[in-house]
Amino acid sequence: MKKGTRLVAVAATAAMAAASLGMGVAAQAATRTVTIYGAYSAGDSAAFQDELNIAFPASSGIKVKFTSLASFDTDITTKIKAGQAPDIAMWPQPGGLIAQKSKLVPVDKVLGASTFAAIKKTLVPGFELLGKASDGKTYGLPVSANLKSIVFYNPAVFKANGWTVPTTQAQLESLQDKIKSSGKAYPWCAGTESGGATGWSLTDWMEELVLKTAGVDTYNKWWKGQVKWTDPKIVAAGKLLASTLLTEGNTQGGGAGVTSRFFGLASTQGLFKSAKADGACAMLKQGSFITGFFPDKIMAELKAKDYSHVGVFAYPGTPNVLGGGDTAAVFKSKFNPAVAKVAAYIMSDKMGTKGYAAKASGFLSPHKTFNPAYFGDPLAKKFTAMFSKATGFGFDGSDQAPPEVNKAEWSELTNWFAGKITMDQAFKLIADSYNQ
């Protein structure tokens, strides 16, 4: 049988298997093992495996085995070249998935056209584009998500000072001024030192502001290099970043302080200090993962479900959100009905409902239909609410840009904040890096 004919036949069978999601499978002569490779932490890997064990019990005729790769992008490429590809892979960076599209099955063939269309409708708008290639075909759909459009604050401090959570850019700017004039704290906690990756948090700031002020379409053209860093819309976002973090008194030590301060503990501890002289700061824009860098006392409070000192709100502005996630795809050489059924489950809004959402430290669902009641962590419920209200999603742009551009973004934004070059010079150097 020719390969193309075989794929069509398997696709038809797989579509029927996917359509029967949650309804059990026909009896099989032997249990089929479906292998998945991803990049989860040890704790999240165990929780993910537990979810799949429950979703696919022995009676299903399917056994799922998940393996986490230490350096996913490098390791998965090596395994593919060696003929050791899994049945399903989950890429943290969608660009890596697209690079392997010739070896992958389009999602509409994996799921069937109707199931594919139904799942896309449940996603936060923008997530359905992550696995879409230039040929117009979609080769992957997201399994999990993380959120970066978050501002952390200390509710006890806000209450004591009469500060209120802003919902618009104008309110945010008014709050900045109020905090600064109070003399009790710097408006913003910020740091971008991260060894060889110093500067990455500044790319997150730029991405947030471009997404909020210019929209999803411009945002996606921007990180691809189709809209230049020197474009007026990008320059406007840069000026907004400067007025937020580089205005005198808005951050401890100004731009030089931001570039010398570690993004983790050194940037977060100010939220829990009571005196400006000790570095007290009122707001921290960071990803949902940052709670792992909070002081031990605060982390103990969170573990005890005490959120009196940790609050969050969505970064104000248009309802577009910035984040990341893991996007799954099926390999042609491993495609069969069992693989299709597992893919249909992890790509759907059912993923996380069998315990993973309650146990995993970094999981958020990319589906706006996901019920936040499945989360045990109140913060995760709030993050999910932010996602569900979003009208557009932007995947971390610097992570998708060419490596030389990513490197230029880190270094030149850092040089700008350190006062070594101007914003215009930094943006031109980054724009030029697309031609290298």
Side-chain angles (χ1 to χ4, degrees), residues 32-117:
R32 288 183 177 272
T33 297
V34 176
T35 57
I36 305 177
Y37 288 171
Y40 290 153
S41 65
D44 284 6
S45 293
F48 185 68
Q49 183 67 67
D50 288 346
E51 167 102 12
L52 296 174
N53 290 345
I54 296 172
F56 297 96
S59 60
S60 71
I62 298 173
K63 179 180 180 180
V64 185
K65 178 176 174 51
F66 176 72
T67 301
S68 185
L69 303 180
S71 300
F72 183 86
D73 291 328
T74 301
D75 293 347
I76 192 66
T77 301
T78 299
K79 287 184 177 295
I80 291 170
K81 289 181 178 178
Q84 300 172 356
D87 299 321
I88 301 170
M90 303 193 307
W91 278 265
Q93 307 301 339
L97 183 156
I98 298 301
Q100 300 292 341
K101 67 178 184 180
S102 65
K103 301 177 180 64
L104 305 174
V105 185
V107 178
D108 62 326
K109 301 299 182 184
V110 175
L111 305 180
S114 60
T115 301
F116 175 46

Side-chain angles (χ1 to χ4, degrees), residues 333-346:
S333 60
K334 304 298 183 69
F335 189 29
N336 61 54
V339 172
K341 189 170 180 64
V342 173
Y345 180 81
I346 66 174

Side-chain angles (χ1 to χ4, degrees), residues 64-407:
V64 185
K65 178 176 174 51
F66 176 72
T67 301
S68 185
L69 303 180
S71 300
F72 183 86
D73 291 328
T74 301
D75 293 347
I76 192 66
T77 301
T78 299
K79 287 184 177 295
I80 291 170
K81 289 181 178 178
Q84 300 172 356
D87 299 321
I88 301 170
M90 303 193 307
W91 278 265
Q93 307 301 339
L97 183 156
I98 298 301
Q100 300 292 341
K101 67 178 184 180
S102 65
K103 301 177 180 64
L104 305 174
V105 185
V107 178
D108 62 326
K109 301 299 182 184
V110 175
L111 305 180
S114 60
T115 301
F116 175 46
I119 288 179
K120 284 199 297 181
K121 289 180 179 179
T122 69
L123 291 166
V124 173
F127 268 105
E128 79 283 1
L129 301 176
L130 299 185
K132 189 173 184 178
S134 58
D135 62 7
K137 296 179 181 179
T138 298
Y139 293 89
L141 284 177
V143 175
S144 62
N146 59 67
L147 182 64
K148 294 189 175 185
S149 297
I150 306 168
V151 179
F152 290 84
Y153 71 102
N154 189 326
V157 172
F158 266 52
K159 182 177 180 180
N161 291 289
W163 299 335
T164 57
V165 169
T167 57
T168 66
Q169 179 64 34
Q171 290 177 2
L172 178 61
E173 292 173 4
S174 176
L175 177 60
Q176 288 174 178
D177 293 340
K178 184 180 292 187
I179 294 171
K180 184 164 56 176
S181 63
S182 74
K184 296 182 179 180
Y186 294 96
W188 289 100
C189 312
T192 195
E193 194 283 318
S194 186
T198 295
W200 69 262
S201 67
L202 295 178
T203 68
D204 280 3
W205 267 100
M206 277 297 300
E207 289 157 6
E208 185 76 55
L209 297 178
V210 170
L211 193 61
K212 294 289 188 184
T213 61
V216 175
D217 185 58
T218 295
Y219 175 85
N220 286 328
K221 290 178 179 177
W222 169 56
W223 67 257
K224 293 176 182 177
Q226 296 167 0
V227 170
K228 303 297 183 185
W229 273 76
T230 51
D231 184 278
K233 291 181 180 179
I234 311 307
V235 171
K239 290 180 178 178
L240 181 54
L241 174 57
S243 68
T244 303
L245 294 186
L246 294 179
T247 296
E248 186 176 356
N250 275 12
T251 56
Q252 184 181 22
V258 173
T259 58
S260 62
R261 203 160 33 245
F262 176 54
F263 81 90
L265 183 61
S267 293
T268 62
Q269 58 188 356
L271 282 175
F272 314 106
K273 292 185 178 293
S274 57
K276 186 176 181 179
D278 294 330
C281 47
M283 298 179 287
L284 170 71
K285 183 191 133 37
Q286 257 297 359
S288 50
F289 71 91
I290 200 64
T291 55
F293 289 94
F294 284 176
D296 291 344
K297 179 181 177 181
I298 301 301
M299 291 182 70
E301 289 181 0
L302 296 181
K303 188 174 181 180
K305 300 295 190 292
D306 176 0
Y307 293 87
S308 55
H309 296 105
V310 178
V312 294
F313 61 87
Y315 193 91
T318 55
N320 297 323
V321 296
L322 177 71
D326 298 273
T327 307
V330 172
F331 285 89
K332 287 180 181 178
S333 60
K334 304 298 183 69
F335 189 29
N336 61 54
V339 172
K341 189 170 180 64
V342 173
Y345 180 81
I346 66 174
M347 292 175 179
S348 77
D349 60 0
K350 303 296 187 294
M351 179 61 221
T353 62
K354 306 296 185 183
Y356 188 56
K359 298 176 184 177
S361 61
F363 173 78
L364 293 176
S365 176
H367 300 272
K368 58 190 176 185
T369 50
F370 188 82
N371 189 341
Y374 287 107
F375 289 106
D377 179 4
L379 283 183
K381 293 179 181 180
K382 292 182 178 181
F383 298 153
T384 295
M386 294 178 193
F387 258 135
S388 66
K389 295 175 183 176
T391 58
F393 171 77
F395 194 96
D396 189 306
S398 63
D399 283 352
Q400 298 186 88
E404 60 274 14
V405 174
N406 192 1
K407 182 179 179 180

Side-chain angles (χ1 to χ4, degrees), residues 15-26:
M16 290 188 288
S20 67
L21 179 63
M23 298 174 62
V25 294

